[in-house]
Amino acid sequence: MDLNALRNISYGMYIISSNKGSQFNAQIANTVFQITNEPIIIAISINKKNFTHEYIESSQRFSISILEENTPLDFIGKFGFKSGRTENKFINIKSKVLSSGCPVVLDFSLAYLEAKVVNKFDCSSHTIFLGEITESEISKSGKVMTYAYYHQIKGGTTPKTAPTFMKNETKGSVSMQKYKCKICGYIYDPKIGDPDNGIKADTLFEDIPNTWVCPVCGADKSQFEKEE
Ligand code: FE
């Protein structure tokens, strides 16, 4: 059995936001699907451990921001690798609150949808929420970020709480030593560099300035170890 077969399934990259009263939280998700057309029902899969899960259970609402291809890794890291239990993710970002009270993230978002929960299914570690669309808007034109682009071009990784997380994620080339962030699992691939933060392709890890930090979680260089 080759589980890399699963990598051939296409996904997008989204920010799911929800509220509990006047408190907001949001997280990255790649599992967003339109299920039916009349009425328009969307499904999302959310880990039960995630703070956003609790908020969706509370308000029965969620919004989906569809991310554009040039979304920086640190922006994805803010929503994908940090918990709203310890920091307010809505500080220093562009967002708005819909009439239902549900927030929506606008930065790097091509379009958004809002949905009211109409059903849910227990899937062991995750809950699949079905939502009927209550609002939708296109913010700007552009290319959507696919999950494959995030992994292959941006060098992104998947948190353990994601439905598509795989043990032993591998990516990129093998000819130059890669380094892995011990905090979030981001892998620095010298072939790719970190162009978002001024590190050109073909820069060895050893040659990156010490002021550089993990583009996903913000950890410093000392938190990196050789990737076997
Ligand atoms: Fe990191």
Side-chain angles (χ1 to χ4, degrees), residues 23-196:
Q23 290 171 283
F24 303 146
N25 197 48
Q27 67 159 82
I28 293 284
N30 64 299
T31 42
V32 171
F33 307 93
Q34 183 176 351
I35 306 297
T36 59
N37 196 34
E38 280 182 46
I40 302 172
I41 302 287
I42 293 278
I44 58 170
S45 177
I46 301 290
N47 192 296
K48 289 176 186 171
K49 289 182 190 155
N50 287 359
F51 207 32
T52 308
H53 189 281
E54 185 183 321
Y55 279 31
I56 296 171
E57 289 279 20
S58 167
S59 65
Q60 298 290 300
R61 294 268 178 175
F62 59 86
S63 72
I64 300 161
S65 304
I66 301 168
L67 293 178
E68 62 182 322
E69 200 171 80
N70 63 6
T71 306
L73 270 182
D74 62 349
F75 188 79
I76 294 171
K78 178 184 176 87
F79 291 97
F81 289 91
K82 292 183 180 169
S83 173
R85 290 186 181 91
T86 51
E87 69 171 83
N88 181 351
K89 299 182 185 181
F90 282 81
I91 289 175
N92 296 329
I93 62 145
K94 209 172 144 206
S95 64
K96 70 174 178 180
V97 182
L98 303 174
S99 58
S100 66
C102 183
V104 53
V105 174
L106 299 175
D107 280 330
F108 308 107
S109 166
L110 296 177
Y112 71 81
L113 307 162
E114 188 215 29
K116 182 182 190 316
V117 175
V118 292
N119 212 334
K120 65 174 183 176
F121 295 94
D122 186 287
C123 288
S124 64
S125 58
H126 287 68
T127 299
I128 294 175
F129 290 102
L130 295 186
E132 185 170 346
I133 297 299
T134 44
E135 269 199 52
S136 59
E137 199 167 292
I138 290 178
S139 313
K140 58 180 172 183
S141 61
K143 246 180 135 176
V144 298
M145 180 183 275
T146 64
Y147 199 51
Y149 183 90
Y150 168 67
H151 273 273
Q152 289 157 16
I153 309 297
K154 305 284 274 186
T157 56
T158 309
K160 289 190 179 73
T161 51
T164 51
F165 174 77
M166 287 167 77
K167 290 172 190 163
N168 308 319
E169 285 202 351
T170 56
K171 62 186 68 60
S173 68
V174 292
S175 57
M176 291 163 90
Q177 180 63 52
K178 293 186 228 175
Y179 279 78
K180 182 176 183 175
C181 174
K182 289 188 274 185
I183 308 298
C184 74
Y186 165 81
I187 291 168
Y188 176 79
D189 182 345
K191 283 277 179 203
I192 298 171
D194 177 15
D196 282 354

